[in-house]
Amino acid sequence: MSDINSKKITVLDLKNKKKNCEKIVCLTCYDYFSAKIIDKCNIDLVLVGDSLGMVFKGDENTLSVTMDEIIYHTKAVKRGLKRAFLVADMPFGSYQVDKSEAIKNAIRLIKEGGAEAVKLEGGKEIATVVKNLTEYGINVVAHIGLMPQYVHKMGGFKIQGKSSEIAEKIMEDALILQDAGAFMIVLEGILPELASKITHKLEIPTIGIGAGKDCDGQILVFHDYLGINIDFTPSFVKKYAEVANNIKTATERYIDEVKKGIFP
Ligand code: KIV
């Protein structure tokens, strides 16, 4: 692990990376030590995602996640980061009700959590919220395509944009969100060709997850790429480790050694 490139990443660095055709590498994270480890690897951006509902709490979707939970995890991750840019998710229900509540909640993520940007799911229906937040100086990451907070509307976690009509809507949403002030946009679960078109059309960086290789950057969920999620691995995920197996082997050894009087 090196500290060579330990200059703090800012929103300007992320925007410049697109201009300089440098890939932006992102991960989700939910706790202090994991944040500390991935920060030392020079990850560009860390997201405290509402995916914590599934991979941290064990829920079947992200809908139950609260503002207090995101703030709790954001604070922990923040303490572990020196370099990476920190984004916190606005959970379901925290920005849909009215303008003042959306602004109040985004401010909490910045003030209490220590986030440098907030991420919101939705297309043109959230453009006004994005505009309001950016006008108050809050960096906004948009999130379109497969939006887990819309799971009931989508009828499950399904690839989006297969029909030309929906693909056009996703493209239109991307442009509207850029105009509203989003500085970055997550493209989740859409066909690679559509992600590629959006990436070329937009001035702001696109971050893909299950959206092919042409996005300006990629994000993966911590528990997926490390092989900790033993319930389900999305088809687009590459596992870079089998941490669940390591935990199992170490735990079995510990149990065995205590039983046999080898440890302590
Ligand atoms: O909640 C999350 O972790 C996310 C990423 C998968 C982009 O939104």
Side-chain angles (χ1 to χ4, degrees):
M1 284 185 219
S2 81
D3 277 329
I4 296 169
N5 292 322
S6 54
K7 183 184 154 291
K8 173 84 187 91
I9 299 275
T10 69
V11 68
L12 301 178
D13 297 315
L14 297 170
K15 289 178 186 170
N16 282 336
K17 276 178 187 276
K18 172 151 185 151
K19 289 193 192 121
N20 300 332
C21 297
E22 267 179 68
K23 291 281 185 188
I24 301 169
V25 194
C26 318
L27 280 172
T28 72
C29 189
Y30 317 96
D31 69 279
Y32 168 74
F33 277 121
S34 304
K36 200 163 182 169
I37 295 166
I38 63 175
D39 193 64
K40 283 182 188 290
C41 301
N42 291 333
I43 195 82
D44 293 318
L45 181 152
V46 171
L47 167 71
V48 179
D50 60 0
S51 51
L52 72 84
M54 298 169 84
V55 298
F56 199 90
K57 290 166 61 181
D59 283 347
E60 62 183 29
N61 57 48
T62 61
L63 301 179
S64 69
V65 175
T66 64
M67 277 297 300
D68 286 343
E69 286 169 341
I70 294 275
I71 289 170
Y72 174 89
H73 287 275
T74 306
K75 277 181 177 168
V77 168
K78 176 78 180 174
R79 288 185 202 111
L81 300 183
K82 283 204 174 100
R83 175 181 183 273
F85 188 84
L86 178 59
V87 182
D89 249 343
M90 294 199 68
F92 181 61
S94 68
Y95 55 94
Q96 290 90 346
V97 178
D98 64 34
K99 176 179 168 179
S100 65
E101 198 163 304
I103 295 170
K104 196 177 73 192
N105 283 329
I107 289 173
R108 283 192 70 197
L109 294 175
I110 311 282
K111 237 182 140 104
E112 296 176 45
E116 291 158 278
V118 299
K119 179 170 80 59
L120 283 72
E121 294 178 17
K124 64 177 170 204
E125 67 279 6
I126 62 151
T128 310
V129 183
V130 173
K131 189 165 182 291
N132 291 333
L133 296 180
T134 52
E135 278 170 357
Y136 283 103
I138 297 169
N139 289 321
V140 175
V141 180
H143 181 156
I144 56 173
L146 193 170
M147 297 177 287
Q149 291 181 14
Y150 290 61
V151 60
H152 296 315
K153 187 171 182 210
M154 295 182 302
F157 298 109
K158 295 179 194 312
I159 298 287
Q160 301 294 302
K162 285 187 176 165
S163 73
S164 57
E165 192 191 335
I166 305 286
E168 273 166 33
K169 186 193 174 314
I170 295 174
M171 171 64 89
E172 187 199 5
D173 284 341
L175 291 164
I176 291 172
L177 292 162
Q178 171 175 266
D179 287 348
F183 81 95
M184 174 180 270
I185 189 158
V186 170
L187 304 177
E188 177 166 359
I190 60 173
L191 296 178
E193 307 78 61
L194 175 59
S196 180
K197 271 193 205 154
I198 297 173
T199 301
H200 287 108
K201 191 114 184 177
L202 293 188
E203 282 163 30
I204 58 172
T206 61
I207 305 297
I209 173 158
K213 64 179 176 51
D214 286 348
C215 297
D216 298 306
Q218 295 290 328
I219 185 161
L220 283 177
V221 168
F222 190 85
H223 294 62
D224 291 340
Y225 88 102
L226 290 177
I228 302 171
N229 182 349
I230 52 173
D231 286 345
F232 174 69
T233 307
S235 57
F236 59 82
V237 166
K238 178 166 175 184
K239 277 198 207 174
Y240 287 85
E242 293 287 353
V243 172
N245 287 347
N246 290 351
I247 294 174
K248 190 167 172 282
T249 308
T251 307
E252 284 167 353
R253 270 186 58 201
Y254 168 63
I255 292 170
D256 191 52
E257 292 192 5
V258 171
K259 285 188 176 169
K260 289 182 177 149
I262 299 170
F263 177 82

